[in-house]
């Protein structure tokens, strides 16, 4: 274990990237602002599967430049990147034979987004990790859906009816979501897709699991077994609790106090504004000073800082994110 963790323990600073179809609505559905984090818009807004899939037809990131993204991370002093290969909306940023709900088959862009990123990471000596939502999947039938009331997400006139439906269907809001079992989803989508990720992109440094809604030890065991495809890979602690602790803990949006540290490895993931996935109305940017102070605080306590970017649907980083990365890099050069 220790050998595999060596690079990560020295890394200190990494880039999290939340990118997917949700960057197209960017916080709005039918002209209504949907509350809370942008990548949850489908669940919070209780958007029907067929409506949500329409957004993919506008996901055409013609300005995507993976080389420029990785260079920005490198210049900011970051040592690794973790990107949402598939978030809870089930959309794969990569070519997949396990589901048509992927970048190549469902968008006008029609190209795998992870291939050029993996290439650029190799070029700049940056480690590449994949975030994969193993349990929640709101588009591929059988995937789990964490229960959130429609009434918490926006002022939907039908929220009472929708909330009754989701309560009766383990969080699902569209009948197409439950046409298969979760066991089928794990065998037919999750396991094959993780195998694709661990086979088609060269070295994968991290598998970043998330929200184990509905996970069983059996499901987790099948996913965990795929990691043998990458002997040096490390993972976080979100595959399933308990029994699948992974290699490091992931406090979210917070930095642990000294008294909370227990000798285990940890990584704080954090947004620069309020959302992970791009939301055009989110202007609550942290200052560069706060970001640098957080990095110092985390590094001094022995943790890593995974700082998020939510790229726009056209393939560009928000200007505010670019400015902060640049300023952190400038600070690194003199310190
Ligand atoms: C999850 C996702 O639902 C979210 O969209 C984002 O990707 C984030 C990085 O991870 O949200 C979580 C997961 C775990 C906790 C909080 C939010 N937690 O352990 O406190």
């Amino acid at each position: 274990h220790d050998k595999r963790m060596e690079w990560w323990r020295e890394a200190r600073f990494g880039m999290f990237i939340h990118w997917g179809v949700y960057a197209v609505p960017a916080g709005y559905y039918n002209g209504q602002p949907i509350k809370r984090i942008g990548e949850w818009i489908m669940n919070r807004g209780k958007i029907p599967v067929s409506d949500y899939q329409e957004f993919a037809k506008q996901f055409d990131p013609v300005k995507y430049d993976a080389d420029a993204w990785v260079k920005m991370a490198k210049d900011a002093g970051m040592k690794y990147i973790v990107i949402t290969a598939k978030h809870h909306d089930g959309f794969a940023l990569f070519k997949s034979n396990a589901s048509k709900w992927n970048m190549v088959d469902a968008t006008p862009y029609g190209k795998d987004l992870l291939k050029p990123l993996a290439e650029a990471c190799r070029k700049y000596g940056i480690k590449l990790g994949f975030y994969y939502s193993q349990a929640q999947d709101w588009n591929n039938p059988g995937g789990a859906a964490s229960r959130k009331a429609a009434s918490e997400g926006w002022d939907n006139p039908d929220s009472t009816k929708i909330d009754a439906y989701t309560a009766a269907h383990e969080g699902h809001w569209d009948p197409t979501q439950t046409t298969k079992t979760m066991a089928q989803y794990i065998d037919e989508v999750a396991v094959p897709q993780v195998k694709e990720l661990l086979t088609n992109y060269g070295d994968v440094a991290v598998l970043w699991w998330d929200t184990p809604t509905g996970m069983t030890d059996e499901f987790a065991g099948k996913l965990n077994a795929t990691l043998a495809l990458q002997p040096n890979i490390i993972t976080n602690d979100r595959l399933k609790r308990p029994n699948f602790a992974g290699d490091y803990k992931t406090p979210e949006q917070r930095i642990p106090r000294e008294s909370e540290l227990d000798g285990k490895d940890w990584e704080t993931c954090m947004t620069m504004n309020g959302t992970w996935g791009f939301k055009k109305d989110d202007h609550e940017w942290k200052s560069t000073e706060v970001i640098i102070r957080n990095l110092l605080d985390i590094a001094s306590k022995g943790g890593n800082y995974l700082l998020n970017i939510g790229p726009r649907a056209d393939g560009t980083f928000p200007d505010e994110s670019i400015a902060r990365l640049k300023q952190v890099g400038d600070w690194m050069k003199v310190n």
Side-chain angles (χ1 to χ4, degrees), residues 16 18 37 39-40 87-88 131 210-211 238 252 276:
F16 213 177
H18 275 70
I37 44 183
E39 72 280 8
W40 272 76
H87 204 268
H88 308 331
Y131 168 114
D210 204 6
T211 67
R238 297 185 183 186
E252 172 135 347
W276 302 93

mmCIF file of all heavy atoms in Angstrom, residues 16 18 37 39-40 87-88 131 210-211 238 252 276, ligand 1:
data_model
loop_
_atom_site.group_PDB
_atom_site.id
_atom_site.type_symbol
_atom_site.label_atom_id
_atom_site.label_comp_id
_atom_site.label_asym_id
_atom_site.label_seq_id
_atom_site.Cartn_x
_atom_site.Cartn_y
_atom_site.Cartn_z
ATOM 1 N N PHE A 16 -9.775 18.851 -9.407
ATOM 2 C CA PHE A 16 -10.994 18.071 -9.576
ATOM 3 C C PHE A 16 -11.717 18.712 -10.757
ATOM 4 O O PHE A 16 -11.732 19.948 -10.869
ATOM 5 C CB PHE A 16 -11.854 18.245 -8.310
ATOM 6 C CG PHE A 16 -12.686 17.056 -7.909
ATOM 7 C CD1 PHE A 16 -13.456 17.114 -6.735
ATOM 8 C CD2 PHE A 16 -12.717 15.881 -8.645
ATOM 9 C CE1 PHE A 16 -14.222 16.025 -6.310
ATOM 10 C CE2 PHE A 16 -13.486 14.785 -8.217
ATOM 11 C CZ PHE A 16 -14.240 14.869 -7.058
ATOM 12 N N HIS A 18 -15.439 18.632 -12.623
ATOM 13 C CA HIS A 18 -16.819 18.160 -12.762
ATOM 14 C C HIS A 18 -17.343 18.665 -14.099
ATOM 15 O O HIS A 18 -17.612 19.855 -14.258
ATOM 16 C CB HIS A 18 -17.706 18.683 -11.628
ATOM 17 C CG HIS A 18 -17.654 17.856 -10.396
ATOM 18 N ND1 HIS A 18 -16.547 17.795 -9.581
ATOM 19 C CD2 HIS A 18 -18.580 17.022 -9.820
ATOM 20 C CE1 HIS A 18 -16.801 16.974 -8.562
ATOM 21 N NE2 HIS A 18 -18.017 16.492 -8.676
ATOM 22 N N ILE A 37 -26.404 22.502 -6.099
ATOM 23 C CA ILE A 37 -25.265 22.245 -6.984
ATOM 24 C C ILE A 37 -25.687 21.832 -8.410
ATOM 25 O O ILE A 37 -26.595 21.043 -8.612
ATOM 26 C CB ILE A 37 -24.295 21.216 -6.372
ATOM 27 C CG1 ILE A 37 -25.035 20.028 -5.767
ATOM 28 C CG2 ILE A 37 -23.446 21.902 -5.310
ATOM 29 C CD1 ILE A 37 -24.117 19.006 -5.079
ATOM 30 N N GLU A 39 -24.511 19.986 -10.895
ATOM 31 C CA GLU A 39 -24.493 18.631 -11.454
ATOM 32 C C GLU A 39 -25.661 17.781 -10.953
ATOM 33 O O GLU A 39 -25.906 16.696 -11.458
ATOM 34 C CB GLU A 39 -23.140 17.947 -11.159
ATOM 35 C CG GLU A 39 -22.904 17.529 -9.719
ATOM 36 C CD GLU A 39 -22.466 18.681 -8.808
ATOM 37 O OE1 GLU A 39 -22.487 19.840 -9.241
ATOM 38 O OE2 GLU A 39 -22.123 18.392 -7.638
ATOM 39 N N TRP A 40 -26.408 18.330 -9.979
ATOM 40 C CA TRP A 40 -27.591 17.641 -9.456
ATOM 41 C C TRP A 40 -28.875 18.133 -10.110
ATOM 42 O O TRP A 40 -29.968 17.782 -9.668
ATOM 43 C CB TRP A 40 -27.675 17.837 -7.935
ATOM 44 C CG TRP A 40 -26.905 16.801 -7.160
ATOM 45 C CD1 TRP A 40 -25.553 16.729 -6.997
ATOM 46 C CD2 TRP A 40 -27.461 15.677 -6.443
ATOM 47 N NE1 TRP A 40 -25.219 15.635 -6.222
ATOM 48 C CE2 TRP A 40 -26.368 14.979 -5.867
ATOM 49 C CE3 TRP A 40 -28.759 15.202 -6.222
ATOM 50 C CZ2 TRP A 40 -26.549 13.822 -5.092
ATOM 51 C CZ3 TRP A 40 -28.928 14.058 -5.460
ATOM 52 C CH2 TRP A 40 -27.828 13.383 -4.912
ATOM 53 N N HIS A 87 -20.756 11.032 -13.855
ATOM 54 C CA HIS A 87 -21.358 11.518 -12.603
ATOM 55 C C HIS A 87 -22.729 10.867 -12.417
ATOM 56 O O HIS A 87 -23.068 9.903 -13.097
ATOM 57 C CB HIS A 87 -21.394 13.060 -12.587
ATOM 58 C CG HIS A 87 -21.451 13.620 -11.206
ATOM 59 N ND1 HIS A 87 -22.640 13.904 -10.574
ATOM 60 C CD2 HIS A 87 -20.480 13.911 -10.305
ATOM 61 C CE1 HIS A 87 -22.376 14.350 -9.344
ATOM 62 N NE2 HIS A 87 -21.074 14.365 -9.152
ATOM 63 N N HIS A 88 -23.525 11.363 -11.459
ATOM 64 C CA HIS A 88 -24.792 10.703 -11.138
ATOM 65 C C HIS A 88 -25.803 10.713 -12.291
ATOM 66 O O HIS A 88 -26.754 9.940 -12.282
ATOM 67 C CB HIS A 88 -25.457 11.349 -9.914
ATOM 68 C CG HIS A 88 -24.587 11.480 -8.702
ATOM 69 N ND1 HIS A 88 -23.551 10.609 -8.419
ATOM 70 C CD2 HIS A 88 -24.614 12.375 -7.676
ATOM 71 C CE1 HIS A 88 -22.987 10.987 -7.274
ATOM 72 N NE2 HIS A 88 -23.603 12.060 -6.811
ATOM 73 N N TYR A 131 -13.148 9.922 -11.545
ATOM 74 C CA TYR A 131 -14.307 9.877 -10.654
ATOM 75 C C TYR A 131 -15.322 9.016 -11.390
ATOM 76 O O TYR A 131 -15.576 9.227 -12.587
ATOM 77 C CB TYR A 131 -14.837 11.309 -10.455
ATOM 78 C CG TYR A 131 -16.202 11.431 -9.794
ATOM 79 C CD1 TYR A 131 -16.324 12.027 -8.532
ATOM 80 C CD2 TYR A 131 -17.364 11.006 -10.436
ATOM 81 C CE1 TYR A 131 -17.577 12.175 -7.933
ATOM 82 C CE2 TYR A 131 -18.603 11.143 -9.837
ATOM 83 C CZ TYR A 131 -18.710 11.734 -8.593
ATOM 84 O OH TYR A 131 -19.949 11.877 -8.008
ATOM 85 N N ASP A 210 -18.084 7.489 -5.561
ATOM 86 C CA ASP A 210 -18.911 8.483 -4.861
ATOM 87 C C ASP A 210 -20.309 7.968 -4.516
ATOM 88 O O ASP A 210 -20.865 7.148 -5.222
ATOM 89 C CB ASP A 210 -19.022 9.754 -5.710
ATOM 90 C CG ASP A 210 -19.324 10.982 -4.872
ATOM 91 O OD1 ASP A 210 -19.333 10.880 -3.637
ATOM 92 O OD2 ASP A 210 -19.546 12.048 -5.460
ATOM 93 N N THR A 211 -20.846 8.493 -3.457
ATOM 94 C CA THR A 211 -22.207 8.253 -2.922
ATOM 95 C C THR A 211 -22.699 6.807 -3.101
ATOM 96 O O THR A 211 -23.381 6.490 -4.068
ATOM 97 C CB THR A 211 -23.255 9.219 -3.543
ATOM 98 O OG1 THR A 211 -23.445 8.956 -4.920
ATOM 99 C CG2 THR A 211 -22.882 10.664 -3.316
ATOM 100 N N ARG A 238 -15.180 6.034 -0.814
ATOM 101 C CA ARG A 238 -16.624 6.145 -1.040
ATOM 102 C C ARG A 238 -17.239 5.000 -1.851
ATOM 103 O O ARG A 238 -18.318 5.161 -2.424
ATOM 104 C CB ARG A 238 -16.943 7.492 -1.711
ATOM 105 C CG ARG A 238 -16.593 8.694 -0.856
ATOM 106 C CD ARG A 238 -17.036 9.991 -1.512
ATOM 107 N NE ARG A 238 -16.619 11.144 -0.711
ATOM 108 C CZ ARG A 238 -16.972 12.390 -0.975
ATOM 109 N NH1 ARG A 238 -17.767 12.656 -2.001
ATOM 110 N NH2 ARG A 238 -16.554 13.379 -0.208
ATOM 111 N N GLU A 252 -15.303 16.618 2.854
ATOM 112 C CA GLU A 252 -15.852 17.381 1.737
ATOM 113 C C GLU A 252 -16.116 18.823 2.111
ATOM 114 O O GLU A 252 -16.828 19.089 3.072
ATOM 115 C CB GLU A 252 -17.148 16.700 1.305
ATOM 116 C CG GLU A 252 -17.909 17.481 0.289
ATOM 117 C CD GLU A 252 -18.407 16.627 -0.845
ATOM 118 O OE1 GLU A 252 -17.966 15.482 -0.993
ATOM 119 O OE2 GLU A 252 -19.244 17.155 -1.588
ATOM 120 N N TRP A 276 -20.147 22.357 -8.025
ATOM 121 C CA TRP A 276 -19.092 21.524 -8.645
ATOM 122 C C TRP A 276 -19.253 21.621 -10.162
ATOM 123 O O TRP A 276 -18.344 22.037 -10.860
ATOM 124 C CB TRP A 276 -19.206 20.072 -8.184
ATOM 125 C CG TRP A 276 -19.123 19.893 -6.696
ATOM 126 C CD1 TRP A 276 -20.167 19.853 -5.809
ATOM 127 C CD2 TRP A 276 -17.937 19.727 -5.892
ATOM 128 N NE1 TRP A 276 -19.692 19.682 -4.524
ATOM 129 C CE2 TRP A 276 -18.338 19.593 -4.548
ATOM 130 C CE3 TRP A 276 -16.574 19.661 -6.192
ATOM 131 C CZ2 TRP A 276 -17.429 19.412 -3.499
ATOM 132 C CZ3 TRP A 276 -15.661 19.470 -5.146
ATOM 133 C CH2 TRP A 276 -16.096 19.352 -3.826
HETATM 134 C C1 LIG B 1 -20.881 14.127 -3.893
HETATM 135 C C2 LIG B 1 -21.705 14.355 -5.150
HETATM 136 O O1 LIG B 1 -23.058 14.047 -4.907
HETATM 137 C C3 LIG B 1 -21.530 15.785 -5.613
HETATM 138 O O2 LIG B 1 -22.277 16.011 -6.785
HETATM 139 C C4 LIG B 1 -20.067 16.039 -5.892
HETATM 140 O O3 LIG B 1 -19.620 15.208 -6.939
HETATM 141 C C5 LIG B 1 -19.253 15.779 -4.623
HETATM 142 C C6 LIG B 1 -17.774 15.884 -4.852
HETATM 143 O O4 LIG B 1 -19.529 14.474 -4.103
HETATM 144 O O5 LIG B 1 -21.480 14.800 -2.820
HETATM 145 C C7 LIG B 1 -21.162 14.489 -1.545
HETATM 146 C C8 LIG B 1 -20.589 13.306 -1.195
HETATM 147 C C9 LIG B 1 -20.214 13.069 0.135
HETATM 148 C C10 LIG B 1 -20.443 14.034 1.094
HETATM 149 C C11 LIG B 1 -21.051 15.227 0.749
HETATM 150 C C12 LIG B 1 -21.417 15.444 -0.577
HETATM 151 N N1 LIG B 1 -20.028 13.813 2.411
HETATM 152 O O6 LIG B 1 -19.431 12.752 2.710
HETATM 153 O O7 LIG B 1 -20.169 14.716 3.254
#
